[in-house]
Amino acid sequence: MTWRSAGADRASATREIILVTAERLFAEHGVYAVSNRQIGEAAGQGNTAAVGYHFGSKFDLVRTIVRGHTADIDRIRAAMVAETAGSTEVRDWVACIVRPMTEHLDALGRPTWFARFSAQVMTDPALRKIMSEEALTSPSLVEALDGLNGCLPALHPEVRAERGDMVRQLMVHIPAERERALADGTSTPRATWRATATGLIDAIAGIWLAPSTPPAGDVAVEDSAR
């Protein structure tokens, strides 16, 4: 091994340590509550500027963490979407959206931090844009969403938007709550990530297929027209 390759290996190892440490600290404390200096110290880096040197800004660091997970999630989803092609069942397409994340978390072993990290990122408007650009525009997810939209019942646009918000909240926070419980050693409603996904799929399919009441303004308009 040459000195150049040895140096490259050390740099790669350093980057990986920083990424894992940053993800953990962000998940446990929040992105803005943790400084680059704290990450570097927790990662065992004597150089307090190590995080900035390897990743640039905190936004760049967050983006790199997201990218590190989305490739595997996309691979799982692409396979599921291929198997689901042609289905007209809402639940099938919801599964394509839910299970790739939970299967990825399950494959990581314990402990994991990505679900809690994602919840932190998605609650901040500036950081959420990073997640949207990196994780929510993948071809496999777009195809899954197209498949879902193609078999949803007719819904008032406001109702559809409202339910979309509900679904996003469940998608973000249910995995994060399970991950937090596992980290704390407390009980969880379901024994496995696979079972957790099943419950989440049931709930989300139920939201999309539930009876709907038109917004109040529409009811008033209908009543005045009678």
Side-chain angles (χ1 to χ4, degrees), residues 90 94 97 145 148-149 151-155 159-168 201-212:
V90 167
V94 172
I97 297 169
L145 291 172
L148 173 63
N149 288 327
C151 56
L152 287 178
L155 293 169
V159 173
R160 182 183 285 258
E162 177 184 56
R163 293 188 180 185
D165 289 340
M166 294 177 184
V167 167
R168 279 187 289 275
I201 292 164
D202 289 342
I204 291 174
I207 287 173
W208 283 122
L209 297 174
S212 64

Side-chain angles (χ1 to χ4, degrees), residues 171-192:
M171 285 284 300
V172 169
H173 293 290
I174 293 302
E177 286 301 315
R178 173 177 170 77
E179 186 180 74
R180 182 176 295 108
L182 291 175
D184 293 342
T186 57
S187 61
T188 57
R190 305 245 180 175
T192 65

